[in-house]
Amino acid sequence: PIVNKLESSILGVITFDEVTTNCKSTVVDEGALLARQAKCNLIVGVGGKTVLNVAKAISFLAGNTGFIRDYFEGEKPKNRGLPCLAIPTIPSTSAETTGDFILLDEYESMQRIFEMEGMPAYPHTAVIDPRVTLSLPHKYMVASGVQVLANAIECYISTKANPISDALAVKAVEF
């Protein structure tokens, strides 16, 4: 429904729906090339952790040059990238709050975490609307709830826990 509303708006919208589970870095290259060619000025990610990671990566790469692998190998970006709007559809992924992204580097057949000091890939804006999750299949809602509970427990028992993180963890368990 969200994508349909965007596509029917007065804005020019290009849908890139090539994202799969454990998405390969070449998909980011394809998405960034499309965004550059279309002269996009905003990347919107609507989905779960993988979709949001890919949206952040496309946002980053579309505002720079080359391929994502160049940056995995140490090339320094010259720009922050295009603005990115993250709309998570599954609770608990937290991809909308992190400045890194995880991709499958098919050249080395391994997942890689991309973190750039001084130039993180945080989405510029995240829209968190619990109503979006209402259309999720039951098994995903249950899995997400268990993930939230596990994250809260991990936060609470962490050696780096503090009174603020403890209070937030307890509140998360209460929900």
Side-chain angles (χ1 to χ4, degrees), residues 106-174:
E106 66 270 30
Y107 298 105
E108 295 191 21
S109 297
M110 62 184 274
Q111 281 196 332
R112 298 186 65 173
I113 298 174
F114 180 86
E115 297 176 289
M116 183 61 62
E117 268 187 57
M119 204 169 291
Y122 290 103
H124 289 71
T125 304
V127 176
I128 314 295
D129 184 350
R131 294 173 296 180
V132 173
T133 65
L134 296 177
S135 62
L136 278 177
H138 181 73
K139 68 179 183 178
Y140 293 115
M141 282 303 292
V142 170
S144 293
V146 171
Q147 182 66 47
V148 168
L149 179 61
N151 289 347
I153 293 169
E154 178 183 19
C155 177
Y156 191 79
I157 65 172
S158 169
T159 57
K160 295 183 180 182
N162 60 58
I164 294 172
S165 66
D166 284 350
L168 292 171
V170 167
K171 201 66 164 166
V173 171
E174 288 174 0

Side-chain angles (χ1 to χ4, degrees), residues 34-73:
L34 178 63
R36 289 180 194 138
Q37 289 173 340
K39 295 183 170 60
C40 293
N41 54 19
L42 175 68
I43 303 297
V44 179
V46 179
K49 184 176 186 174
T50 301
V51 169
L52 298 183
N53 274 325
V54 171
K56 292 188 296 185
I58 290 173
S59 163
F60 166 80
L61 188 59
N64 286 283
T65 59
F67 302 96
I68 199 66
R69 192 158 206 293
D70 299 335
Y71 298 94
F72 279 142
E73 293 177 349

Side-chain angles (χ1 to χ4, degrees), residues 72-86:
F72 279 142
E73 293 177 349
E75 185 170 322
K76 301 292 183 210
K78 294 173 182 49
N79 303 302
R80 280 204 165 285
L82 298 178
C84 180
L85 171 63

